[in-house]
Amino acid sequence: MTKATSWMEGTNCCLWDGVNCDTETGNVIALDLTFSCLVGPLQSNSTLFLLSHLRQLNLAGNNFNMSPMASQFGQLTSLTHLNISGSGFSGKIPLAISHLSELLSGNYGLIFEAHVFENVEKTLTQLRHLHLSNIDMSSVVPTSFRNMSSDITTRILEENGLQGKFPEDVFHFPYLQKFHFAIFLRESGQEQELELKFPKTNWSGPLKSLQVRRAYLQELPDSIGDLRSLEILDLHLFNLTQVQFLDFSGNKLVGSLPSKVSGLSQLRILRLHHNFLSYRVLSWLFTLPSLVQLRLNSNKLNGNFELDKLSDGSKLYWKLANHAAVTFCVEVHAA
């Protein structure tokens, strides 16, 4: 049953499912039509665009048959929140959305052209939440993100074709609480190339969630330890092709180790001791070609690796204090 089935002509629309009205004026201020089985193009003469007091519009999870976004969205001058994730829009994003404070979109057919994005970022002065996933932004220059409102709190950019160098300045935005970034595979099977560099100094603020996947990340600066509000750190670290030293000891890390890694060919020292890591110790830990020191003690790991298979002359140093029941197979070739 969809929300619209409760909409009966001649009845109070403020009582309809998905409709929210201002208690004083009775004007419709929010419309939630998520997963309402809406199919077909959203016509420019739709009565939706007559809701001049509308502040929040959620059209996620419908099927607009890859039709373009109508420029009439610009008539909704009170609109501050727009969610069109997975709604089947396509084509170019209209410049008319420039007054939004929240833009959530995940549509494979949508294109954010560079000149439109540059104009939008200058006019979206009230923008607080930006979620752009599965949108073609390949023509957008990443440095343009530094021109957005510094009041932004959420920035989620996933699977959108950005290439080049992402501006370090963005991480200094004073209200940024969530930064998520992931890149995608092109049709050729090759990943897009985007380089991220975290600030080395003066990196503090309210950042709570930092998640980066498959970007080119050369190093983890000491300044990451200054993020006192950080609750979630997911860097999908295994594209750090030049990193030689990783120390996550004493950080109260919980859960399991990742099932596989790649790209840590230069890693020499890995310290994970004094955390709450659990489940099995995985064999990839002992196949890193340059590793000479591995510390896993004071965790809750378990496993069964045959110590007698340790290569003669291995330089790997391992410490298993408080883990008498755990044995490891360590195969690291001497230099």
Side-chain angles (χ1 to χ4, degrees):
M1 180 180 295
T2 66
K3 294 182 176 68
T5 56
S6 67
W7 297 9
M8 300 293 293
E9 188 175 356
T11 61
N12 185 356
C13 68
C14 295
L15 301 178
W16 293 353
D17 190 14
V19 177
N20 188 16
C21 296
D22 187 294
T23 55
E24 295 183 359
T25 65
N27 294 321
V28 176
I29 58 175
L31 193 56
D32 181 1
L33 293 173
T34 54
F35 298 99
S36 293
C37 298
L38 300 179
V39 179
L42 185 60
Q43 302 292 347
S44 60
N45 60 353
S46 170
T47 54
L48 169 68
F49 300 122
L50 299 178
L51 299 175
S52 58
H53 300 281
L54 194 64
R55 302 173 191 169
Q56 300 183 17
L57 176 60
N58 194 336
L59 297 173
N62 290 290
N63 181 10
F64 294 109
N65 282 349
M66 304 305 289
S67 61
M69 286 185 66
S71 61
Q72 280 70 21
F73 275 100
Q75 297 177 11
L76 303 176
T77 55
S78 299
L79 194 67
T80 59
H81 297 70
L82 175 62
N83 188 347
I84 54 173
S85 302
S87 55
F89 282 114
S90 67
K92 301 173 182 178
I93 294 178
L95 187 59
I97 64 171
S98 59
H99 52 275
L100 298 175
S101 65
E102 180 173 75
L103 175 59
L104 307 176
S105 179
N107 290 267
Y108 282 105
L110 279 177
I111 301 172
F112 225 144
E113 292 187 306
H115 72 280
V116 174
F117 185 77
E118 290 170 3
N119 284 321
V120 166
E121 67 182 359
K122 293 176 182 176
T123 53
L124 287 177
T125 57
Q126 301 300 313
L127 188 67
R128 299 296 180 270
H129 305 280
L130 177 67
H131 185 166
L132 297 174
S133 299
N134 303 319
I135 294 178
D136 185 351
M137 300 180 67
S138 57
S139 66
V140 174
V141 179
T143 52
S144 60
F145 281 92
R146 64 161 58 102
N147 300 322
M148 279 192 161
S149 169
S150 61
D151 294 331
I152 196 167
T153 63
T154 302
R155 190 188 302 270
I156 300 176
L157 305 168
E158 298 173 331
E159 315 291 335
N160 48 37
L162 287 170
Q163 301 180 68
K165 293 184 178 181
F166 201 82
E168 180 181 321
D169 316 40
V170 168
F171 296 104
H172 287 297
F173 281 15
Y175 303 104
L176 187 63
Q177 297 182 29
K178 180 184 291 186
F179 181 90
H180 294 182
F181 183 85
I183 61 179
F184 71 136
L185 289 173
R186 298 192 182 98
E187 292 182 0
S188 63
Q190 294 181 336
E191 290 184 351
Q192 66 186 84
E193 297 179 359
L194 189 133
E195 181 179 331
L196 279 179
K197 185 178 291 186
F198 295 143
K200 292 185 177 181
T201 58
N202 301 320
W203 194 15
S204 59
L207 191 64
K208 294 182 178 180
S209 179
L210 178 60
Q211 300 186 50
V212 176
R213 292 180 172 270
R214 298 198 303 273
Y216 181 60
L217 187 62
Q218 275 194 301
E219 59 180 328
L220 284 178
D222 293 340
S223 58
I224 202 169
D226 296 329
L227 298 174
R228 304 301 184 186
S229 300
L230 196 63
E231 298 173 359
I232 299 174
L233 176 63
D234 179 2
L235 299 181
H236 209 68
L237 293 170
F238 311 116
N239 283 319
L240 296 172
T241 56
Q242 302 302 313
V243 72
Q244 297 184 31
F245 179 94
L246 286 177
D247 187 349
F248 294 112
S249 60
N251 277 297
K252 299 182 180 179
L253 300 177
V254 298
S256 61
L257 293 167
S259 59
K260 61 180 180 179
V261 301
S262 62
L264 290 173
S265 59
Q266 303 300 315
L267 185 64
R268 295 175 57 81
I269 297 174
L270 177 59
R271 295 174 180 171
L272 296 167
H273 58 92
H274 290 90
N275 285 294
F276 299 98
L277 297 172
S278 56
Y279 306 104
R280 293 186 61 82
V281 176
L282 300 166
S283 58
W284 61 258
L285 282 168
F286 312 113
T287 61
L288 300 174
S290 302
L291 195 66
V292 296
Q293 183 183 118
L294 172 64
R295 295 193 62 173
L296 300 171
N297 55 294
S298 299
N299 279 289
K300 299 179 180 179
L301 298 166
N302 61 76
N304 183 20
F305 294 86
E306 298 177 12
L307 188 60
D308 57 5
K309 291 185 178 180
L310 177 62
S311 300
D312 292 337
S314 170
K315 292 183 177 180
L316 184 66
Y317 168 78
W318 52 273
K319 186 174 181 179
L320 300 173
N322 304 320
H323 284 278
V326 182
T327 58
F328 295 96
C329 168
V330 186
E331 296 184 5
V332 177
H333 297 289

